Amino acid sequence: MTASHSDSLVVLFGATAGAYGAKLGSDERELILLVWQVVDLQSKQVGTLHKSLVKADNLDLSDQCREVSGLTPEGLGKAEPLDRVLQQFSQLVSSDLKVLGRSSYTLCSDGQLLIRQVLQPETSKKNILLSDCFYSFYDLRKEFHTCYPSSAAVKDQTIKTMAEYLGLGTDETEEDFGVWQVKTMVAIIFSMLSEGCNYIFTEPETVKYKYETGPCSKSETVDSETVIRARGLPWQSSDQDIARFFKGLNIAKGGVALCLNAQGRRNGEALVRFVDSEQRDLALERHKHHMGSRYIEVYKATGEEFLKIAGGTSNEVAQFLSKENQVIIRMRGLPFTATQEDVLGFLGPECPVTGGKEGLLFVKYPDGRPTGDAFVLFSCEEYAQNALKKHKEILGKRYIELFRSTAAEVQQVLNRYMSTPLIPTLPTPIIPVIPPPYTIATGSIRDCVRLRGLPYTAGIDDILEFMGDATGDIKPHGVHMVLNQQGRPSGDAFIQMKSADKAFLVAQKCHKKMMKDRYVEVFQCSGEEMNFVLMGGTLNRSGLSPPPCLSPPAYAAFQTAAVIPAEAALYQPQALLPATRTPQASAAAPPAVTYYPAQAAQLYMNYTAYYPSPPVSPTTVGYITAPPGAVAAAAATATHTPLLPQPGALVRMQGLPYNTGMKEILSFFQGYQLPSLIAGRSQYSTRAYTENHILMSLTSEADFPNGALHLPMYAPDDYNGLIQLSDQARSVLQAPKEWVCL
């Protein structure tokens, strides 16, 4: 039994199978020794000194442990496991207190590490329930510095330095390891209790029993010395899992913020805010400790980063999160027509929602449209577990995903959707270093090579160095890095050689050659095969599979000239196109290729497979940003030939069901004039769209649906060279002056 003003102390010392002293617990090694003794603060009497060895799961002792403690694996093999030792500890302490006539006690240890960095996390991993006494303790170093302010700083204190400061003549070589430490600590406590000091132990350190959830406002001030970033988390980990990883350290209320990626899914990182800098410093010592089978990296972070993720300004969210100590579940994939009654009916009576409808929060876009996400509050873990059992059950015609969530994730998701513009903001215009006309190679001639297994950090320079003397046989603009859906290197690249013989020699010479710390596979292939993979198709032992954005009929007739997404026309055309051309010159000129960064394509392209990066060559490795002055000057001198016989608008629809037909689209826009409509799988847009995109032309601005937003466009002749147009597509693009995005 413990109390805030205890009449007894239990002086406790311990050691692990690894590091000792200031690094105790930092190597995640198990406890192997506990030594303790009861001290009566009133009568200044002591109980029996107890020493107990602990049998660890891993008996491999470090060299430092062997040298300092003198313990051996053979001796520890005969000891009791930790749970039995803790039971004996409670029984023996109770017995000693009864002998001394006392009833309450508080632990007293040499610093914070034994309790916070060893006992708490190890018992949490082994699912051992600690008694209440281990959640409150006195740090002898802090108490000593308070009693003797002229002594060394707390971080520099040790049992030996405290004893030397008091002039205690003790020799640690005379006693067994652990026994000398406890006896010396008891002597230090008696000195503090002497008539000259009359020190009173009143304010013990506390360890939080559990993590407390709660909202965080962007107006709060967060000390950067209290925040860390945890990286490498399992994607399904919750705030409670992270709090368990940092068991023994006090996390601030609502201090766990799981980070989301651009698609709104967890990216394996979290920002954690602690109550003070001391707790944060202890958290940093858990760098590369394990959560299950994965090690977690722990780094310093800033208060601004935490507020960016966890902070919110919505009163609706603040009210939703005002109910404390609730379990939050995120629902994803709800039908857009789902109501509160539908969600409550889906969850059923076995998992009642806290407050009924008040415990539901639907996530919406700024214009009020539902996103298909919702958050639900449950009052206890049992109800939340019942809800999670409904993962991927059907509501309406859709299956619903359910995940554990956090208050910070609620804020982050709401912030993301509420700040999403109806029309995405484009990045700074860019211009190519060398923009000659160029077409990606086609045909069955095997004059290309495929590099597979590249390091993800490899760049163009690394590939050229890898190729060695064969670099001179690469065609201009012949190096193609393949990026994944997030715009990051996929580990693949294609290189166009000057001939099939050159490609064969490169494949023979460089196959399984090392690049950095990885070997790279090199295969000879044709330009047609290269194009298929760059478009999102697959090339393996089973043969070729067409890109997911192409239907089989369109795939065979697919035009191979280099194109960019149609939305790239939203760039300032002066930064993308060569000098202004006359209509006659435009008809005879070959299509121009514009270099665009993967980030720009990522804003609009929703491929589920790889998409190509801009073609580059040894002479065009970099990109340069168009200076604002250059863009302005180009805009002032450029001329545009209006080809539009009447005002109109081009509409893009996203998020259509994949089985949507023309009839459904026309029915959706019933009452508006729709002279022409083009599906996203049309010939001209095969590289720019997936099957759930639609372009359509409205005859006038009066046909804009309510709430549509506008972006200025330019004459069609300015972007005819950017996109390979079929006759049908060209007829549509000759009408609009503005784009709208529903």
Side-chain angles (χ1 to χ4, degrees), residues 446-469:
R446 300 174 64 80
D447 58 352
C448 303
V449 291
R450 179 183 184 181
L451 276 60
R452 188 170 67 186
L454 294 169
Y456 294 128
T457 57
I460 300 297
D461 292 336
D462 298 313
I463 292 178
L464 299 180
E465 182 180 354
F466 175 82
M467 297 286 290
D469 297 338

Side-chain angles (χ1 to χ4, degrees), residues 331-335 345-348 350 386-402:
M331 303 180 69
R332 191 166 63 200
L334 292 169
F346 173 80
L347 294 172
E350 63 272 17
N386 291 337
L388 291 173
K389 293 177 182 178
K390 297 180 178 292
H391 180 61
K392 291 196 174 182
E393 289 190 8
I394 302 298
L395 174 59
K397 295 182 179 180
R398 307 190 64 173
Y399 72 84
I400 311 301
E401 298 175 290
L402 289 92

Side-chain angles (χ1 to χ4, degrees), residues 191-419:
S191 296
M192 296 168 62
L193 298 174
S194 63
E195 295 182 0
C197 298
N198 292 321
Y199 186 76
I200 300 176
F201 293 83
T202 56
E203 298 181 4
E205 300 284 321
T206 58
V207 179
K208 287 189 175 183
Y209 283 88
K210 64 178 183 178
Y211 167 67
E212 298 177 279
T213 61
C216 176
S217 173
K218 284 188 179 295
S219 60
E220 289 187 31
T221 301
V222 178
D223 185 3
S224 294
E225 296 299 316
T226 64
V227 183
I228 62 94
R229 179 184 295 273
R231 182 178 299 164
L233 299 166
W235 67 268
Q236 73 273 27
S237 59
S238 66
D239 55 348
Q240 297 296 337
D241 296 323
I242 296 171
R244 186 175 183 180
F245 175 79
F246 289 108
K247 183 70 174 176
L249 307 181
N250 294 338
I251 299 174
K253 183 177 179 180
V256 177
L258 295 166
C259 301
L260 307 181
N261 61 17
Q263 287 73 40
R265 301 177 184 273
R266 297 173 186 172
N267 63 2
E269 294 188 7
L271 293 172
V272 185
R273 177 188 179 189
F274 294 90
V275 295
D276 54 42
S277 59
E278 181 182 28
Q279 303 292 306
R280 193 282 304 268
D281 293 340
L282 292 175
L284 292 173
E285 293 296 327
R286 299 197 186 183
H287 179 60
K288 292 195 174 181
H289 282 204
H290 288 77
M291 179 184 290
S293 60
R294 305 186 60 163
Y295 72 82
I296 309 301
E297 300 174 4
V298 182
Y299 304 100
K300 292 182 179 180
T302 65
E304 290 77 8
E305 291 176 314
F306 182 83
L307 286 176
K308 183 178 179 181
I309 298 298
T313 57
S314 171
N315 293 330
E316 182 183 13
V317 177
Q319 183 178 359
F320 176 76
L321 297 175
S322 61
K323 302 177 179 63
E324 298 181 358
N325 299 323
Q326 300 290 310
V327 182
I328 305 175
I329 297 296
R330 180 180 179 182
M331 303 180 69
R332 191 166 63 200
L334 292 169
F336 293 148
T337 57
T339 63
Q340 293 177 325
E341 290 77 9
D342 294 333
V343 175
L344 293 176
F346 173 80
L347 294 172
E350 63 272 17
C351 39
V353 178
T354 302
K357 295 181 180 180
E358 295 181 358
L360 295 176
L361 178 64
F362 286 92
V363 183
K364 299 180 180 180
Y365 289 106
D367 59 0
R369 292 180 296 120
T371 64
D373 280 26
F375 293 93
V376 190
L377 295 179
F378 296 99
S379 59
C380 65
E381 185 67 28
E382 179 184 358
Y383 295 158
Q385 288 291 345
N386 291 337
L388 291 173
K389 293 177 182 178
K390 297 180 178 292
H391 180 61
K392 291 196 174 182
E393 289 190 8
I394 302 298
L395 174 59
K397 295 182 179 180
R398 307 190 64 173
Y399 72 84
I400 311 301
E401 298 175 290
L402 289 92
F403 308 96
R404 287 183 174 275
S405 188
T406 67
E409 185 174 6
V410 175
Q411 297 279 23
Q412 194 175 171
V413 172
L414 266 293
N415 291 343
R416 180 185 301 274
Y417 281 112
M418 293 304 293
S419 62

